[in-house]
Amino acid sequence: MRIFVLGAGATGSYLAHLLVRQGHQVTCGDRDLERARRFLGKKSKIPVVQVNARNHWAIVRAARGSQLLVNASAAVFNEIVLRAALRIRSHYMDLSAHLTRNPFKAEQLRYDDRFKEKKRAAVITAGAAPGLTNLLVARAAAMMDSVEAVYIRLYESTESDDPVSQWSAEVSFDEAISWPRIVRNGRFRYGKRFGETEKFRFPPPIGEATVVLAAQDEVGTVPYFLPLREMDVKIGGNEIDRLRRWYRQGKLTRSRGLVASRFPTTPTPRQVARLIRKGVLQNARFAAAVVVRGVKKDDPIEVRGDAIFPSLYQIRQRGLALSPVSYATAHVASLFVKYFPRESAGVFPPGAIPLENRQAILKDLRSRGIRVTMKVTRKKLSEDEEEF
C-alpha cells in the first residue's frame, strides 16, 4: 500500500520505519525537513517532502496518489487532513482527537457520511491511549449483556534529572490545560482538573500509584458506540504529579502559554541516546489499564484489561532510543494499518472497526513486545467473587 505519513516526529518517524518493514511504500511529510531527517535517521531512505499541516492544498499535492493518509501531526490539524484525504480519495488514519467543535465528541465523527460517499475508511485515535485502550474496552464489553461503567487508568513516569518530553511539547501542554471530560449518570460533564484522586494498583513492577482526572480522547468516542452511565480517565506517575504541582502553584494556565523549560521539545533518538549515556535519563515507563463494569446474566461482572509496554531500558536493549509512549503508539498504530478495514466505508474509532480486525490486532501485540492480560470477576447475589 502507498502510504503518506504527515508528521515525522518521534512517533511518526518510527511508525514510518515500521510500515516500511511491513512492505508498504512510505513517504513522509513535515514542515521542517531537517528535523524530520534527524528523527528518521541519517541512513533512512524514506522520502521526505516539505508540507505544512495547516495548508490543505499543500497536503493534497504532497499526498496525491497515496492509498492511505496517516496523520501523525498535532490533532489540531485533524479536520484539514481529513478533507485532504477526501480530496485525494484515500483512506485515512490518525492518532488522537482535538475535541474542538464539540468538547465531548471527536471532531472526526462528523465526516462519517463523506467517507461513506467516497467508499473510503477513516480509522481515528488509533494509537496506544487512545487506541489500544478502546480495543480493550470493546473486548470487555463483548463479554457482558450491558455496560454500566468504563474506567481507564494510565501510568507515565520518567526517571530523569531534567524534564524530558515523551510527547510533543504542544500536545503535552494542550492536555495539561484542558478540562477532563467525564460521564456521570449517563451525561457528559467536565471534571475537576487533576481532581478525584484515587489509589490504583498497576501490574508489577509499577504497583500502586496515585491517579487523577486527565483530559483524554476516549471519552469523546466510546460513549457514542457503547451505552454507559459512567466513564472517566485518570493518569498517574511522576509526570502528572509535576503538572499537578505546577497547576496548584498557578504556573499552568493558557494565558501563561507554553513555557519551554517545563515543556521541552521532544528529543530525537540521538539526543535520547546521549541523555541515557550521560545519566540524565535513567528510565521511563508507560502502562494502561481498563476496568469495565456491567451485567452478565443478571449478575454484576467486572472485566479488567492491562497493557504493559516495554520500559525505556528494555527499548534501549533492542537498540532503539525512543520513549515508551512513542514506542507503544507507533507499534499499535502500525498494527491498525496492518489490519486496516479497507473494505469498509465511514469513520471508525478503534472499538468500532470489524471484530476480526480488532481480534487480529490484539493477537499480534505480543510480537511487538506488548503484553496484554484480561481478568474477569463475576459477582453473584451472595457477593462471592469468582475469577475465571
Side-chain angles (χ1 to χ4, degrees):
M1 191 160 47
R2 296 184 302 277
I3 302 176
F4 187 85
V5 178
L6 179 64
T11 301
S13 60
Y14 186 49
L15 173 58
H17 284 295
L18 294 175
L19 295 178
V20 169
R21 289 184 208 170
Q22 290 178 192
H24 300 291
Q25 181 181 332
V26 180
T27 301
C28 287
D30 200 283
R31 65 177 181 179
D32 189 334
L33 291 181
E34 184 178 345
R35 173 180 173 274
R37 291 193 179 99
R38 286 200 300 269
F39 275 104
L40 286 166
K42 290 184 177 180
K43 297 181 180 180
S44 172
K45 296 182 180 179
I46 299 175
V48 188
V49 297
Q50 189 170 34
V51 54
N52 191 330
R54 298 179 184 275
N55 190 322
H56 166 80
W57 287 107
I59 300 170
V60 169
R61 288 191 295 269
R64 196 181 296 278
S66 301
Q67 295 166 294
L68 173 64
L69 174 51
V70 177
N71 180 15
S73 64
V76 67
F77 305 123
N78 280 349
E79 295 199 59
I80 299 174
V81 189
L82 277 161
R83 291 195 293 269
L86 288 166
R87 175 68 63 177
I88 64 176
R89 296 181 66 87
S90 77
H91 297 294
Y92 171 88
M93 193 179 90
D94 61 36
L95 308 179
S96 59
H98 196 234
L99 302 173
T100 47
R101 291 179 180 271
N102 183 335
F104 301 107
K105 186 175 184 179
E107 65 277 3
Q108 302 98 311
L109 296 175
R110 297 177 56 251
Y111 292 79
D112 183 55
D113 290 339
R114 300 188 211 181
F115 273 88
K116 287 178 178 176
E117 290 173 7
K118 298 285 185 179
K119 297 181 179 180
R120 294 294 183 268
V123 177
I124 63 172
T125 65
L132 176 55
T133 47
N134 301 62
L135 293 184
L136 295 178
V137 169
R139 183 176 180 180
M143 302 179 188
M144 305 175 180
D145 296 329
S146 63
V147 173
E148 287 292 321
V150 171
Y151 305 109
I152 298 174
R153 302 294 180 257
L154 307 175
Y155 181 85
E156 300 176 18
S157 72
T158 304
E159 298 172 22
S160 62
D161 296 337
D162 302 314
V164 178
S165 177
Q166 293 206 53
W167 281 106
S168 72
E170 293 79 11
V171 171
S172 298
F173 176 71
D174 185 58
E175 290 184 355
I177 61 174
S178 298
W179 292 97
R181 285 89 171 174
I182 62 176
V183 178
R184 294 288 185 267
N185 296 318
R187 293 193 173 191
F188 288 104
R189 289 177 47 193
Y190 282 119
K192 183 179 179 181
R193 288 171 66 185
F194 305 103
E196 297 189 21
T197 303
E198 73 173 69
K199 296 288 186 180
F200 187 83
R201 184 169 293 280
F202 292 90
I206 296 172
E208 187 178 87
T210 300
V211 294
V212 294
L213 286 176
Q216 280 287 119
D217 299 336
E218 291 92 339
V219 182
T221 56
V222 170
Y224 293 95
F225 298 86
L226 182 65
L228 49 79
R229 292 187 59 77
E230 282 204 10
M231 182 176 182
D232 60 45
V233 184
K234 296 182 180 182
I235 301 180
N238 61 5
E239 294 194 10
I240 198 73
D241 291 341
R242 185 185 302 119
L243 294 175
R244 188 182 180 197
R245 184 172 64 252
W246 289 340
Y247 174 67
R248 287 178 170 178
Q249 294 171 350
K251 298 177 180 178
L252 196 62
T253 61
R254 192 178 298 275
S255 59
R256 281 178 173 264
L258 191 156
V259 180
S261 60
R262 299 193 183 102
F263 296 90
T265 56
T266 308
T268 65
R270 292 189 68 178
Q271 290 172 329
V272 170
R274 190 180 304 118
L275 290 171
I276 294 173
R277 286 197 303 270
K278 290 182 176 180
V280 175
L281 179 58
Q282 294 90 38
N283 203 357
R285 296 189 185 278
F286 177 44
V290 167
V291 178
V292 181
R293 293 173 182 163
V295 176
K296 178 71 172 180
K297 294 182 179 180
D298 297 327
D299 290 331
I301 186 175
E302 178 180 290
V303 181
R304 170 169 171 165
D306 284 284
I308 301 296
F309 307 101
S311 66
L312 177 68
Y313 177 76
Q314 293 169 323
I315 294 170
R316 192 68 184 125
Q317 285 184 315
R318 297 172 182 232
L320 300 170
L322 289 165
S323 74
V325 173
S326 294
Y327 178 93
T329 303
H331 270 289
V332 177
S334 72
L335 290 178
F336 274 103
V337 173
K338 184 176 180 179
Y339 300 104
F340 195 89
R342 298 176 65 178
E343 304 304 316
S344 302
V347 176
F348 302 92
I353 64 176
L355 176 62
E356 59 270 23
N357 300 67
R358 302 201 308 264
Q359 291 176 331
I361 293 170
L362 291 172
K363 185 177 179 180
D364 213 348
L365 286 169
R366 186 178 294 273
S367 68
R368 309 303 179 97
I370 300 171
R371 182 165 55 92
V372 173
T373 61
M374 301 291 290
K375 176 182 176 182
V376 183
T377 303
R378 189 164 185 167
K379 299 182 178 180
K380 297 184 179 180
L381 293 177
S382 61
E383 292 301 314
D384 293 331
E385 289 191 0
E386 178 186 0
E387 293 182 9
F388 57 96

